[in-house]
Amino acid sequence: MENSKFELALNELKPNSYDKPDRKNSLVDDKYYDKVDEVCGKCVKIGNDGKCYASSEAFPELFKCSKSDGQYIYDNEIPDKDKINLNGNDYAHTSSVVGLLDKRVQETRDTDTQAVCKYSRDSLINIGDSSDAENERRKFDGFAKREVPKLRTKRQTENDEITGEPLEDGYEYHHKNKKSIITDPQKLVDPNSGINVNKETHKEIHRRKIVDEEQLEKEKDDIRKTLESRKK
């Protein structure tokens, strides 16, 4: 992460790097649990952004379904915002996969499928809680701390993106979505996730307690009018 531009890389899981869940339903054939362990080892990765990713190839085993059904789940039930393609391979954020697995647990009538989905869900949660994932999050946090102050320069704008006036000395970068609600760490260090504004504009945005991009867009014109009226 020494380069100023963040590039996502996915790391293989190390052997025995996470706690495997208990196999609570002893009536389920161990081979189904074994398959989940196998695909987690081969197809689940830890990103250098601190997030975990599951390959679409893992879905049939994780959801205990056919290959075609697994592909359908990936294509149609995983939101596009939670999908990535890296080096020709399709992945989904495991947080999104966990949500679908939990839903399957609640809705399925098949006890084997329910047990395997529970095991898959808990396996993905444990991978996300592993020390390796935590180490990647810690490293990314350090990277973000260094990079966020540089975002205003990387925007390469000359005018306040709310008022249209020339940027003054000491202008500031504002994340369109409040940093505390950004769930995708890569967006935290993406110059396109925010705007450059003058100090008075920035103060007015925060005075109105605007927390997301939608609210900012709705109030943009009124912010501009308010700032203009103060100059009269």
Side-chain angles (χ1 to χ4, degrees):
M1 287 190 190
E2 294 179 0
N3 295 327
S4 59
K5 181 180 178 182
F6 178 76
E7 294 184 1
L8 179 66
L10 301 184
N11 304 306
E12 303 282 344
L13 289 187
K14 298 174 185 175
N16 304 313
S17 61
Y18 71 96
D19 294 329
K20 292 183 173 61
D22 293 333
R23 301 182 174 190
K24 295 180 180 178
N25 191 336
S26 59
L27 298 178
V28 175
D29 193 320
D30 275 341
K31 69 179 182 181
Y32 294 116
Y33 293 125
D34 291 340
K35 287 179 179 178
V36 172
D37 289 342
E38 183 178 354
V39 297
C40 282
K42 290 181 178 179
C43 301
V44 178
K45 317 290 185 185
I46 298 176
N48 59 341
D49 60 352
K51 299 189 76 169
C52 298
Y53 298 82
S55 167
S56 61
E57 295 178 0
F59 278 44
E61 306 302 346
L62 294 176
F63 287 88
K64 195 181 180 295
C65 63
S66 66
K67 287 186 177 180
S68 60
D69 285 350
Q71 190 62 49
Y72 177 87
I73 292 170
Y74 178 84
D75 290 340
N76 298 281
E77 297 187 33
I78 299 291
D80 287 343
K81 67 180 180 62
D82 292 332
K83 296 176 183 175
I84 64 165
N85 182 281
L86 194 65
N87 300 323
N89 297 310
D90 291 325
Y91 295 91
H93 294 161
T94 55
S95 57
S96 188
V97 182
V98 165
L100 286 180
L101 286 166
D102 196 53
K103 182 181 179 185
R104 184 66 63 93
V105 168
Q106 304 301 322
E107 294 179 351
T108 187
R109 297 180 182 179
D110 182 83
T111 55
D112 282 7
T113 300
Q114 183 184 62
V116 172
C117 285
K118 277 185 180 179
Y119 188 78
S120 297
R121 178 198 64 193
D122 294 345
S123 294
L124 294 180
I125 289 173
N126 289 355
I127 292 170
D129 289 340
S130 68
S131 59
D132 285 347
E134 180 58 34
N135 286 338
E136 291 298 336
R137 284 191 286 272
R138 192 177 298 112
K139 286 191 288 185
F140 182 86
D141 287 346
F143 172 81
K145 189 174 182 179
R146 296 191 301 273
E147 291 302 308
V148 167
K150 304 175 186 177
L151 294 177
R152 70 171 199 157
T153 304
K154 291 183 178 182
R155 281 290 292 170
Q156 297 183 332
T157 55
E158 296 181 354
N159 296 89
D160 183 308
E161 295 182 72
I162 295 291
T163 67
E165 296 180 351
L167 289 171
E168 302 166 352
D169 290 343
Y171 69 91
E172 297 170 343
Y173 178 89
H174 174 76
H175 280 91
K176 289 180 281 189
N177 294 296
K178 192 176 180 181
K179 285 184 285 186
S180 60
I181 66 170
I182 295 176
T183 56
D184 183 347
Q186 293 181 60
K187 290 187 179 298
L188 190 65
V189 294
D190 183 355
N192 294 321
S193 293
I195 55 176
N196 282 337
V197 291
N198 287 318
K199 285 185 177 181
E200 288 304 312
T201 307
H202 206 186
K203 286 179 183 178
E204 183 63 20
I205 292 171
H206 285 289
R207 187 187 70 80
R208 294 172 181 239
K209 298 181 179 179
I210 294 173
V211 298
D212 61 33
E213 186 173 1
E214 183 179 358
Q215 187 182 0
L216 180 62
E217 186 62 30
K218 286 179 179 178
E219 298 199 35
K220 183 166 64 175
D221 289 342
D222 193 54
I223 292 171
R224 182 163 51 242
K225 291 176 183 177
T226 298
L227 294 171
E228 287 175 354
S229 68
R230 290 178 185 168
K231 293 181 179 180
K232 294 178 180 178

